[in-house]
Amino acid sequence: MKTITVAFAGNPNVGKTSLLNHLAGTNLKVGNWPGATVEKKEGRLSFMGQDIVLVDLPGVYTLEPISEDEWIASNFLTEGKPDLVVNVIETPNMERDLLLTVELLERDIPMVLVLNMWDEAQKLGIEVDTERLSELLGVRVVKTNGRTGEGVKAILPNILEVIALREKPKPLRYGRELEEFLEKVRERPEETKAELIRKLLQSPKFETLRAHIKRTLGKNPYDLIKDERYAVAHGLYREVVHRRALHSRDITDALDKVLLHPYFGVPLFLLVMFLLFKVAFDFSLPFMDWLDSFVNGFLASLFFVLFSYFGVDEWVQRFVSEALVGGVGFVLTFLPLIAVIYFLLALLEFSGYLPRVAFLMDRFMHRLGLHGKSLIPLLLGFGCNVPAIVATRTLETKRDKLLVIAMIPFISCPARLVVFSFFALIFFKNPALVIFSLYLLGILVALLTAVFLRKTAFSGQLYHFVMELPPYRLPTLRLLFRIVWVYVKDFLYRAGTLIFAASVLIWLLLNLPPGVKNPSESVAAGIGKAILPMLKPMGIEDWRVSTSLIPAFLAREIVLGSMGTIYAVELKGEEKSFEPLKALEEQVVAFGFALKDALVNVLKPLPSAFEVEEGHEGLRRVVAGSMSPASAFAFMVFLLLYTSCLGTVAVIWRETGKVFASLFLLYSLVLGWLLGVLAYRLLSIWSF
Amino acid sequence: MNLEEVSPGQEVVITELRGKEDILKKVEAMGLRRGKRVHLLQKVGRNLLLKLDNSRVVISRDLARAIEVQ
């Protein structure tokens, strides 16, 4: 049997995602519409032996091509040839939503109408005569509560019956004049109303007819069609909806009085942001550390012991335990952070607060040419650039998304703080000031990048602000967890594979040719020596510094560990006796401690993500001798700006494609180098 | 009078949408149509928060200027 394709269409915020989640469960997948940055959700399922694909169209108020969203929705309905369209309506706003219903009916596609948020409508005293509605349109009507899932079960059987019985909606009837004009443009009997309208409005063949309409009716054809659509939608609404005057207190109005307060709104947002930041990073940090030790300490050693037992060649042993297992571990360490950020963002989004942030903060952000919502990803960047870039999915337009993604990597994160504090403590009397100035430099470069992009690649675009603030709703935990799972799966599949491959490649560079005992003989050292002349203008004359940049592409803080190895002052973990069972026991205990730490961290008033541990004593002494303060500062500037972070590059790649990601990496490299050189020159003049 | 000149707390009726920009089609599809009654809740920065029927809509001042009200 052929797979049935069902398109879910509806206005924004009508609860399509929740419905899809109830229907497809964890079989939901996220991705992007081809050639667009608009998110596409798709769920596959089997119901009564029938394979069904549910496709979530972008939330739109009309199918008129105003922006990418409407274009995608409209295009899928014609080109994607769905077998059926499920039109989801937010029952409390039925009058508005019926416009889209009318436009969908013009397409002549079998339809099931879902009146969602039925419970909210009841509370507002709105009654809908569903039998009459069904009779007028020739379409089945299902009542649901998307939050709890009540009534959702009826959707699938109705879809199958409509398709099995070949039920079609009743043809729409517009006013006599318009119907006559539409018949005039008909060339084939099977043309749908939507096609006739498109021809009437656009086809060069009917130029004279358009002029005739304008002359006889005094309005242009587009306005005529628009008015007719509204008239039909309004007529339907009048016929089936009955309102009782009800005076229930509206929770949304009450909450908005506080959260959107002219004076308290912004401080409250900052408080929410602080809590988000704190919970996200402090809660996930112990788990990240635990995963790191579990994979690199336990699993890697376990493989090592097993291979030694079977007498596998040492180089192969190390490749499997360090590169393969280590690569998996590197991907896994991001998981707790990504999952927690997705959870909190989904909570903010589904509760209705996120759109309000846009409204609140737009007065500051629009001066920078950015959408109010873009402040959230930018602030998250101070915690970690990877989830910050992931968080740009809440931005609606491609322009905003790319602008913010190009800014985030310059926002300094704790990984950079580790490097900064190491060098600043060695070379400067006032390390705090140096670190602070580096943070400021990062923010400045982010802003200049935004200005630069707006003047060049993203110029000439009009920027209006139009959005709906949905009512506050408490999402169910089940919905949130499922959403998190869908995104985590997507991250593992797309960014995870890239991170894994690159970390294996870097291991190979450090350990090829086979049998190298000392990093100075490796391919990496060869590359390090080759790129050294390029670092000379920054006052860096030591190949060991340039070589340490290669493993540091994984993550900036690795620069210290790898310098330690290359300078041969810190020997990598000595072989200890490894007993698998005892070690496993230790790991279980460690997980318990991680859980405890996570909960304790969340309760502490200040974020602990910025606590820096001191270390690398031996390395301090050697590095102090091999660099000057000016070149150390230049090196820090370089590392601040150049996107030396595999995780960040991988998510940029995932979100924007490889062209943008490579161009951005190059841009950050050139900029880091230029400003590094500039910093070195300036500081050298002041005779540091 | 246009919508931008309305002060918070007032309720007005839309008489006309002027302007040719595409974005006004969206504004109209969102329910801001001729004959609709809207309640201006707040003006923040360059944006206006409106309530119409059971929905809350934010539009920027440049769009509000294109909406004639009574």
Side-chain angles (χ1 to χ4, degrees), chain A residues 61-62 64-66 70 92-93 95-96 99 124 126 222 226-227 230 243 250 252-253 256 260-262 356 359-360 362-363 366 462-469 471, chain B residues 17 20-34 36 41-63:
Chain A
Y61 297 98
T62 167
E64 291 293 326
I66 298 163
E70 289 87 9
N93 284 312
E95 185 177 7
R96 178 196 70 195
L99 171 69
L124 291 163
I126 297 167
Y222 173 76
K226 189 184 69 187
D227 291 348
Y230 284 138
R243 306 193 61 153
D250 191 354
T252 299
D253 282 336
D256 273 349
L260 295 183
H261 190 277
R356 282 164 173 86
F359 170 60
L360 263 180
D362 185 69
R363 63 178 130 168
H366 93 272
L462 271 179
Y463 179 58
H464 304 285
F465 194 98
V466 186
M467 72 184 307
E468 192 190 346
L469 303 185
Chain B
L17 273 86
K20 288 267 157 273
E21 292 163 46
D22 267 359
I23 193 82
L24 282 171
K25 291 184 191 168
K26 180 170 171 179
V27 170
E28 215 174 354
M30 287 172 91
L32 289 159
R33 296 167 202 160
R34 198 171 21 181
K36 286 298 289 191
L41 296 174
Q42 270 192 52
K43 281 182 173 176
V44 176
R46 61 165 186 144
N47 295 320
L48 283 77
L49 173 58
L50 309 164
K51 180 152 185 187
L52 84 154
D53 297 330
N54 291 312
S55 69
R56 291 162 189 79
V57 174
V58 179
I59 61 170
S60 45
R61 285 173 191 269
D62 49 347
L63 292 171

Side-chain angles (χ1 to χ4, degrees), chain A residues 21 84 111 130 232 277 302 321-322 338 376-377 435 480 483 485 493 496 536 580 629 645 667-668 676:
Chain A
N21 245 288
L84 184 139
M111 182 191 276
T130 51
V232 170
F277 200 92
L302 190 67
S321 66
E322 287 173 19
I338 298 278
I376 291 180
I435 293 172
L480 293 179
I483 292 280
W485 173 238
Y493 174 66
K536 282 215 166 112
C645 173
Y667 167 72
S668 76

Side-chain angles (χ1 to χ4, degrees), chain A residues 595-664:
Chain A
L595 193 63
K596 193 199 87 187
D597 283 348
L599 295 173
V600 170
N601 273 350
V602 171
L603 294 176
K604 282 200 285 189
L606 289 172
S608 26
F610 289 105
E611 287 168 11
V612 178
E613 289 164 27
E614 295 206 5
H616 306 287
E617 277 311 318
L619 187 61
R620 268 167 216 281
R621 284 194 299 275
V622 199
V623 168
S626 73
M627 275 170 142
S628 70
S631 63
F633 190 78
F635 189 65
M636 284 192 277
V637 169
F638 178 68
L639 266 190
L640 161 74
L641 301 177
Y642 148 60
T643 318
S644 176
C645 173
L646 177 56
T648 303
V649 176
V651 283
I652 296 180
W653 187 309
R654 195 200 81 163
E655 295 294 328
T656 65
K658 62 171 177 277
V659 177
F660 187 90
S662 326
L663 281 177
F664 182 79

Side-chain angles (χ1 to χ4, degrees), chain A residues 520-582:
Chain A
S520 65
E521 299 155 14
S522 68
V523 176
I527 299 173
K529 284 170 191 161
I531 60 172
L532 186 61
M534 283 186 259
L535 296 181
K536 282 215 166 112
M538 277 190 257
I540 294 162
E541 314 251 339
D542 195 326
W543 67 269
R544 290 174 293 193
V545 178
S546 55
T547 305
S548 71
L549 284 172
I550 294 164
F553 183 65
L554 291 176
R556 290 180 176 89
E557 70 267 35
I558 291 178
V559 88
L560 299 181
S562 65
M563 270 185 178
T565 324
I566 298 166
Y567 276 97
V569 284
E570 283 167 19
L571 290 171
K572 267 179 142 182
E574 284 106 74
E575 299 307 322
K576 285 180 293 186
S577 61
F578 181 81
E579 292 167 43
L581 278 178
K582 195 153 160 272

